[in-house]
Amino acid sequence: MTATIVLLAIDAVVAVVAGWGIVFLSLGFQSCSVPGNRCDETLGGAVVYAGPVLVALALVLAVVFSVLRLVRRRLAWPIAVTGLVALVVVFSGALVLVDSAITRGV
């Protein structure tokens, strides 16, 4: 139970950092006005808006399923670890998508 609570607290901190990190990825689109650079603002905007929602969804699912398993007196820390992995995957995916949306020229 203690491991689950600690891991869920870590999940919450990582979710806040990942959510804000995805929002700050939008700063990369400042270079779109430079000659030679091209940007897919539709893809970038979708990632910047949907990314924090997916981060929150991953956190909520990890908390809900962990609590359900704790109530049933079952092992719950693997669910919290899976939530942590999901948060890292969502942030990494957002980073890759935003990077692919910005094409730097010269």
Side-chain angles (χ1 to χ4, degrees):
M1 182 173 183
T2 304
T4 303
I5 293 169
V6 169
L7 284 169
L8 287 176
I10 292 170
D11 283 358
V13 171
V14 169
V16 169
V17 170
W20 279 106
I22 291 171
V23 170
F24 284 131
L25 288 176
S26 67
L27 294 175
F29 290 96
Q30 298 294 328
S31 67
C32 293
S33 61
V34 175
N37 290 356
R38 291 187 330 230
C39 297
D40 184 0
E41 283 127 9
T42 305
L43 174 62
V47 170
V48 169
Y49 288 117
V53 172
L54 292 175
V55 166
L57 181 65
L59 178 65
V60 167
L61 288 175
V63 169
V64 167
F65 284 114
S66 293
V67 168
L68 286 176
R69 288 186 63 93
L70 284 174
V71 167
R72 294 180 185 152
R73 303 230 183 246
R74 301 197 60 184
L75 204 57
W77 67 265
I79 303 297
V81 171
T82 304
L84 186 61
V85 170
L87 292 171
V88 171
V89 167
V90 168
F91 180 76
S92 299
L95 187 63
V96 167
L97 286 173
V98 167
D99 190 46
S100 69
I102 301 171
T103 305
R104 290 172 182 83
V106 179

